[in-house]
Amino acid sequence: MRLERLEISGFGRLGDLSLDLAPQMTVVLGANESGKSTVHRAVRAALYGIDVGGQGRAALRSDWARWRPWEGSRYGVVLTYNLADGRRFRVARRLEHREERVQVQELGGRDVTDALRSGRLVIPGLHHLGIDEAVFAASASIGEEGLETSAPDGPSARAESLQEAIERLADAAGRATAAEALGRLRQAMDRVGTENRSKSPLGLAGQRLQKVEEELARARERALALASEEQRREELEGTAAAAEERCAEVERAWLEGRLAQLSAHRLELAGAALEIARLHECIAEWQAWAGFPLEREERVSALGVELRLALDAEVAARRRWDAAREEARSCERRRLEIATAVRALGSAPRVSDADLDEATALQSEVGAEGGAERRVAAVAAAGARLDGLRREAAAMGLGAVPLGSVDAVAGLIEEARGLGAIRHARPVAGAAAVVAVVVTVGLLAAHLPVLAVATGAGLLLTAALLLAAERLAGGPAAAARRRLARLCPGLDLSPAGLERAAERLPRLRALHADLHRQEAAVEGGRAELAEASERLAGIAQRCLVLAARIPVEVDAPEAPPLGPAGHLARARQALAAVARAAEAGRRRAQLEAEDARLSERLDTLGALAEEAERCAAARTDLASEMARLCDIPGLPAEAEPALQVAAFRQAASTRRQLEAARARLVEVSRRVSALGPADDAALERQAERLAGELRQRGGDPDGVRAELPRDPSHLHDLEVEAQDARRHAGALRTQATGMRERLAGIRDGLPSVADLEDERAACVAVRDRCLHQLQALQHAAVAIEAAARRVHRDAAPRLAAAVARHLALITDGRYEEVHVDPERFAVTLRSPDRLELVGVELLSHGTRDQVALLLRAALAEVLGEGGEPVPLLLDDPLQSSDPLRRAGLLDFLLRLSERTQVVLATSDPTVVEAVLRSGAKGTVVELGRRSSPSRPASGAPAPAPALSRGRRA
């Protein structure tokens, strides 16, 4: 890993700071308190986050609270780095809140924040370096006291984590000053003490906490009792206030009731006079309906409903009958058609189910014998084929060859053709004889008789020899021809005929084989046809018997064929007649069933017509009764039943209103007589007095309504209730005043619970801090001992070799041999002037720091070999070294920076000058100056300023 750029928006004393880090050596120069250590801690926070506290750890004592910005509200860091495989990443952490916000972006790629999560935390250092924060702090990051043997983040404190990281990444070694660390841990535990030791800090804190808790418990009990009494006082005062309010409320209600009673009395008198006048007018207006018959109203209303229902029923019945009338006509026409069809069917015989079953069985048998026709056709076809084959054999000229004698005839033909080369000897002999005669005659004519005799005799002798040879060679062939003549009369026995016969024999053999098959097929087919004819004759007879039993007439064919075909034809005719009779019966049954359904439907439609007539008659009767009941003088006649009922109800309502007005007039007159005469002036004065009293008690006389209760008994109850409420409120107020004075004296002598709680919190904090320190020390001791036992033994030689090699150069060969205890990570040196090994605790402070620095560098190299190269963050590691060894260590760091990135913080300008003189490639960053630019550590051109806005460290 190579760190490229660090941006600090706010972290500790640093803010608005940007640092460009060199790939090899970066020197951060600054005075004390300038923020050098803060830069290293910001890098570590970017890679691993920062502790924000949690359960058992107060947030105020966490690293998050420690490194909060001194100025400004922005709190966060941004770190850009690249890995060995070329990938570059940018980590941005915002730390304003304890729930930090983190984003990790692969530059040129995608957001990889979720891929770098470990639980809820985003830890890029753990994933990219392969080591956790404890290992990083114990190896690659040297803080202010990081070179101390007992440093909390040193190799000794993190031995177990280092061992696990080394075994996992590089299988190298680490060191541990277990003895010194355990001794100091025991001293620290003794200083903390235990709860049983009264003189120790932990014991004192426990005792003081116990006393404070007892005092706090007593104070809380007294405070609780006082709070209970205060609550009782407040409840008593609230009850007294509620009683006073209730008293005022009841008095206002009584006064409002009295005012309402007076107002209602005056209004009632005026309203009664107006109502009497109005009732006289109404009675005079409705007097004409005094004799209207109210007893008819119920019947008229019922008749209206019944008449409306009757009209609806009549309309519905008429509509149904109109819709069904055409259907009835259609049903009647169809019944006529059915009657005609039934008459047309005549008296067709009825076929029983048994006859139908028998006909079905016979039909199956006839169907099964249907192959007889195909067999007749096949036999006929075979006969025709046989005749054709015979004609074909005759056309070949070999018709005389008997069936099955082709092989014998072939042998005879072959013997008959056996004349060989002398089969033309007779013509040659004849020619020789003719030539002998001609030559002899010629020679005799030439008068050469001797020559003529010799020549003629020689030629004649040659002809005779030829004839003899032909006779001798043609004996078997002639016999063969004679046998052929006997076996195959009419066969052409000439040489040409024999040649043709020999050529056609293969075809004749095939024809004879086909003839044999066809003859066998014809003979077998005729036998089968004979058997089938007998079966079909029996089936046909059964079919005719069935037809005669039903009975049905069977159509006889004009020219019935003979054999199986004729029997099949008769059987089929009989079964067809039976099927026609059965079909006619089914058709007649269907027509009769349809006629029955149509008859039922006509009855149903007739019921609709009757229903329409009944509804019309019922509506007429109801209308007549309605007209009779509504025949009253003064009542208008209406055509619509609903209007007639409404007019009747209106007239009845007028009659009832008349009777109600008369009854109301009597009642009002009686009430006015009961009220008696009233003095309006006296009532007005009494109302003004009550209104004044109501205003004094917070009431509003103008809002009093006459509708409020006016019962005198109720008003008396309100007056009594007001007096009781007044006495009760006075008693409660007296009690509340006495309790307030008593509680004031108790409150003055009560100790401060808040002060006791603050003191208890302080004691708890001291005790918890002591317990936490004791637990941490115990855990550290256990961790160191366990790490010393589990450390890999092969790691120690490598670390020892690396430390010894560089230590010899730094000390000018004084310590050439270094040993690392594989169990405790304890480092011992061999001195030239001593025989025994010397532990680092016996060396000078500077030598101890140098050994610790070399061990840290060796650990970083070992961790980097198995994974990603680990950058070194060094905080002033050269303070305790003399100039000679400082130069050696600086040279070692410069060489180390060629392989591992080094960020060196120092307050010594001579270190910067030494780096500049060495010519190494690096960057020098100065802190504590406004806009201090970075300058290169060699003669190369200066890079971009490392402090873009470095106002102050």
Side-chain angles (χ1 to χ4, degrees), residues 422-591:
I422 60 173
R423 61 182 177 174
H424 302 296
R426 184 175 294 180
V428 175
V434 173
V435 171
V437 172
V438 173
V439 170
T440 301
V441 173
L443 289 176
L444 289 176
H447 304 288
L448 296 171
V450 178
L451 183 58
V453 172
T455 304
L459 290 173
L460 291 174
L461 181 58
T462 302
L465 292 173
L466 288 172
L467 289 175
E470 181 183 6
R471 180 65 178 173
L472 294 174
R481 284 195 293 274
R482 288 191 296 273
R483 290 175 64 188
L484 284 173
R486 290 194 301 271
L487 183 61
C488 304
L491 181 64
D492 186 6
L493 298 178
S494 64
L498 292 174
E499 287 291 338
R500 288 193 301 274
E503 293 175 357
R504 295 172 180 174
L505 280 177
R507 176 59 181 162
L508 181 62
R509 185 179 288 105
L511 289 175
H512 279 192
D514 201 358
L515 279 170
H516 181 72
R517 288 193 298 272
Q518 296 300 328
E519 286 180 352
V522 169
E523 292 176 0
R526 287 173 180 172
E528 292 177 1
L529 288 177
E531 296 177 358
S533 179
E534 293 179 1
R535 290 195 304 273
L536 287 172
I539 294 173
Q541 183 62 30
R542 289 161 57 195
C543 292
L544 293 173
V545 170
L546 175 64
R549 188 172 64 245
I550 290 178
V552 294
E553 184 177 358
V554 180
D555 297 334
E558 297 179 358
L562 300 176
H567 297 317
L568 280 173
R570 287 195 298 274
R572 288 170 178 166
Q573 289 291 338
L575 292 175
V578 172
R580 286 194 298 273
E583 180 63 27
R586 284 193 297 271
R587 180 58 180 164
R588 183 168 56 195
Q590 291 175 357
L591 291 174

Side-chain angles (χ1 to χ4, degrees), residues 13 30-31 86 99 212 237 280 289 365 373 455 498 512 516 522 530 575 628 754 809 839 848 910:
R13 65 180 296 112
E99 294 77 18
V212 171
E237 290 181 349
H280 282 296
W289 299 98
E365 294 181 11
E373 295 178 334
T455 304
L498 292 174
H512 279 192
H516 181 72
V522 169
L575 292 175
R628 181 178 58 80
L809 296 175
R848 287 201 306 269
T910 60

Side-chain angles (χ1 to χ4, degrees), residues 188-200:
M189 286 189 283
D190 291 338
R191 288 194 298 270
V192 174
T194 61
E195 294 185 8
N196 296 328
R197 291 171 54 187
S198 59
K199 299 293 182 68
S200 64

